[in-house]
Structure formats: C-alpha cells, structure tokens
Amino acid sequence: MAEFSDIPDAIDRAKAAVSERADLPGMSLFEHLDELRKRLIHSALYLVGGYLVAVIFAPQLYSLMQAPLNDIHIQLNFTHPADLVNLRYIQIPLVGGAILASPFILYQVWLFIAPGLYQRERRFVVPFMFSAILLFASGAFLGYHFVFPGMLKFLIVKLSGDLGIHPIISIEEYTSFFFSLILGMGATFELPVVIFFLAMFGIVSPKFLWKNMRYAILIIFIIVEIITPSPDIPTQFAFAVPMLLLYLLSIGVAWWVHPNRKRKKEAAA
C-alpha cells in the first residue's frame, strides 16, 4: 500500500507547480481570459473548416466505416427517417472535422499554456505536436485495422452463428460503436503526451511511474479485456504489448523532461 501514499505527494507537487508558475512574469488575469477567448475562437474556426471539408468527403468517410462490415457481408439498416441526415451531415462531418482540425487546435492549446512555461520548456512544442498526432493516428490505425474487425467477427459472425440468430444492425448503433472504439484507441495512445506534461510540471516522476508499474499492467489488461472480446491469450497479449511499451515510453519521457534531471545537470556543470 506504500505506493498509494505517493498520491497525496503528487497532489502537493501539482499545487507547488501551480504556485511556482504563478510567479512567472506574464499576463494578468484579464489578459489570460482574453487569450483564452482568442484561442477558443481560433479553435472554433478550425473546427468549422474541418467540418466543411468532412461534409464534402462524407460519402468516402462512410465507405471507410462500412468496410469492416463488407468483409463479413453485413448490410446496415436505418430505423428512423432522419438517421441518414444525422449520419451524413452531423456525425461523420463533426468527428471527421474534429480529427482534421485537431493539429491546429492542439497548437492553440500550446499557445495558451506557453506563457505559463519556462523558456527551456517552450522548445518542446514540435515534439509535443508531432508525438500527439502520431500517437493518436497509431492508436486509431490499430483500432481500425485490427481491434474493430476482430470484435465484429467475434460478436457478429461467431456468436450469431453459435446461437443461430440473424444480425440486424442499425446505422445509429454501429456509428456510435465505431467512433467510441476508434477514438478511444486513439485517446489511449496519448498516454505519453499526458505523462509529458505531468512530468514537466513535476507532478509525477520516473520513480513514481516505475514503482506503480504493476498497477499500470493490471489496468492495461483490464482495458484489453474490455476492448478484445476474444478470450484467447495470444490475442490479448497482441494488444497489451503496445500499451505496455507506451507505458515504458512514458517513463522515458518523464525522465527526459522532469525538472529534477535538469537541476542535477545544472548542478553538475
């Protein structure tokens, strides 16, 4: 239980980080609020631009969604006259537009938090942008090409065959299922980016992450159990290994950006 005693320490470190950065020369409260308004407006404009592009290519995006079902010869159905309007002009364009606009929105987030960073920390903007986009794309790719088709084959082909039940899948339910899994996988792969900020602010340390690795492994296998309904061990390990590697990568990221390492390096110079 000793590891759980580190949680209050992490909270104290978060408070200390906020207090320390409050002393940085920067903008006043009203200037921060004005900056927030500016970033929100810019982000909204990028989102609208992404939405307009996604509306144009919505049929092609739908084809990508339908492809996993084509492989198992399942046709979608709609139960409400407005389902297709919702799919064509709301769900697909909003999600597709948000993904297209996400690099620009991330940059707006960085511009907003940059005044609260030290000069040496602001140079991480390029690694932050590159890694956030690459990790999300990797998680979404893994989910689309491996996790999602595997789930459909197990849930629809195998179980419906075993029970002798004909599947009738609505567009609304399939779309929600598709987006939740693909976006969830992409978000899961953002773990190193989250650790990047927590470690840079001194809230978590490589030592903390290493000491709590067994709990991280437990949580990872719980997530894998949820997203991979196939019960065989090799399949579960195939999805758990990338997540474990991401956690180890997060420890390396924490070591790289943690303030203690820089202090020791400056003291030794």
Side-chain angles (χ1 to χ4, degrees):
M1 300 295 292
E3 289 82 353
F4 289 103
S5 64
D6 293 333
I7 296 178
D9 293 338
I11 296 174
D12 292 338
R13 288 193 294 270
K15 293 178 180 178
V18 173
S19 301
E20 180 183 358
R21 288 163 196 279
D23 297 332
L24 286 173
M27 297 180 290
S28 66
L29 175 61
F30 289 105
E31 288 174 329
H32 276 292
L33 291 176
D34 184 63
E35 182 71 12
L36 176 61
R37 180 185 62 84
K38 183 191 302 182
R39 299 305 162 202
L40 289 176
I41 291 174
H42 287 180
S43 298
L45 291 175
Y46 289 128
L47 185 59
V48 170
Y51 171 84
L52 294 176
V53 173
V55 164
I56 297 173
F57 293 99
Q60 290 81 359
L61 296 175
Y62 172 74
S63 297
L64 290 175
M65 289 177 50
Q66 175 70 35
L69 285 178
N70 291 338
D71 293 338
I72 57 176
H73 310 291
I74 297 293
Q75 181 65 43
L76 288 177
N77 302 272
F78 65 97
T79 58
H80 191 280
D83 281 349
L84 295 184
V85 175
N86 183 44
L87 180 72
R88 173 68 174 80
Y89 294 103
I90 299 177
Q91 286 182 302
I92 291 178
L94 277 180
V95 175
I99 292 174
L100 288 174
S102 59
F104 306 100
I105 294 174
L106 281 173
Y107 186 62
Q108 295 302 309
V109 172
W110 181 272
L111 290 177
F112 177 70
I113 66 174
L117 301 177
Y118 293 108
Q119 188 64 37
R120 66 176 182 271
E121 294 170 340
R122 296 179 188 179
R123 61 190 175 91
F124 289 121
V125 58
V126 174
F128 162 72
M129 294 288 296
F130 178 78
S131 60
I133 295 170
L134 179 63
L135 288 170
F136 182 88
S138 299
F141 179 86
L142 180 66
Y144 180 79
H145 286 281
F146 299 100
V147 178
F148 192 68
M151 292 183 71
L152 292 182
K153 289 177 182 178
F154 178 79
L155 294 173
I156 298 177
V157 178
K158 186 178 187 306
L159 291 184
S160 65
D162 292 344
L163 299 175
I165 299 174
H166 178 69
I168 299 178
I169 304 172
S170 71
I171 288 176
E172 187 71 25
E173 293 170 346
Y174 176 79
T175 303
S176 299
F177 184 45
F178 177 88
F179 284 146
S180 62
L181 190 139
I182 301 303
L183 297 180
M185 285 292 294
T188 300
F189 271 56
E190 295 289 350
L191 176 63
V193 177
V194 175
I195 296 299
F196 167 84
F197 280 106
L198 294 177
M200 187 170 64
F201 294 149
I203 298 172
V204 300
S205 65
K207 182 180 179 181
F208 173 84
L209 296 173
W210 183 261
K211 285 173 60 179
N212 291 278
M213 180 179 288
R214 60 178 177 271
Y215 298 109
I217 293 174
L218 175 62
I219 293 172
I220 286 171
F221 273 96
I222 291 174
I223 294 173
V224 169
E225 186 68 27
I226 293 172
I227 67 175
T228 56
S230 180
D232 59 287
I233 300 298
T235 300
Q236 294 188 357
F237 266 93
F239 295 113
V241 168
M243 294 183 183
L244 289 172
L245 291 176
L246 282 173
Y247 188 80
L248 293 175
L249 176 63
S250 299
I251 296 176
V253 169
W255 173 84
W256 180 41
V257 301
H258 197 274
N260 286 347
R261 186 181 77 90
K262 293 182 173 58
R263 294 191 188 106
K264 291 178 182 178
K265 186 176 179 181
E266 291 170 358

